[in-house]
Amino acid sequence: QVQLVESGGGLVQPGGSLTLSCAASGTFLRINDMGWYRQAPGKQRELVATISNGGSTNYADSVKGRFTISRDNAKNTVYLQMSDLKPEDTAVYYCTAKVVSLFSLNDYWGQGTQVTVSS
């Protein structure tokens, strides 16, 4: 089994910055792609950013130039650096990882962390 534990959410003013972290633990061989999704009240969950095992990244148009996804493979951790935050960034943010074990490849999700951008 694999667990993804998120941290770093909170309340921030418009224009401010936050960094989210997501650490994987458990029994596995390696982690392939990792990513971040978010879901605002009354809206569907949307992709924010992804990063491959080799470091290739992809971003939603709404966050390009403001958010940066990165990973530390030695710590099995993915990060989301957020700057110039806007009220429309308010959502619960979820990390996800594609995990390789001896006999399977599975997707795992973190518990979610609240990011609120408000004056």
Side-chain angles (χ1 to χ4, degrees):
Q1 280 293 326
V2 176
Q3 296 77 229
L4 301 182
V5 179
E6 302 178 29
S7 62
L11 175 64
V12 64
Q13 295 182 336
S17 300
L18 280 176
T19 297
L20 307 182
S21 299
C22 175
S25 62
T27 302
F28 54 88
L29 296 179
R30 73 170 188 170
I31 301 173
N32 287 340
D33 291 358
M34 304 184 78
W36 291 92
Y37 285 72
R38 67 186 182 186
Q39 187 167 25
K43 298 183 178 180
Q44 66 182 33
R45 187 172 300 185
E46 65 175 348
L47 177 68
V48 176
T50 62
I51 184 167
S52 72
N53 192 42
S56 179
T57 59
N58 184 59
Y59 297 92
D61 288 341
S62 60
V63 306
K64 285 182 179 178
R66 299 189 299 118
F67 290 13
T68 300
I69 187 171
S70 61
R71 63 191 290 170
D72 184 338
N73 290 336
K75 297 181 178 179
N76 296 314
T77 299
V78 62
Y79 305 92
L80 186 67
Q81 300 175 77
M82 305 181 291
S83 62
D84 191 25
L85 283 161
K86 304 175 180 180
E88 50 263 44
D89 295 318
T90 295
V92 177
Y93 284 70
Y94 298 89
C95 67
T96 186
K98 296 184 181 295
V99 180
V100 180
S101 61
L102 186 60
F103 297 108
S104 64
L105 173 65
N106 296 106
D107 292 339
Y108 289 88
W109 291 85
Q111 81 279 11
T113 185
Q114 177 71 46
V115 173
T116 301
V117 184
S118 176
S119 299

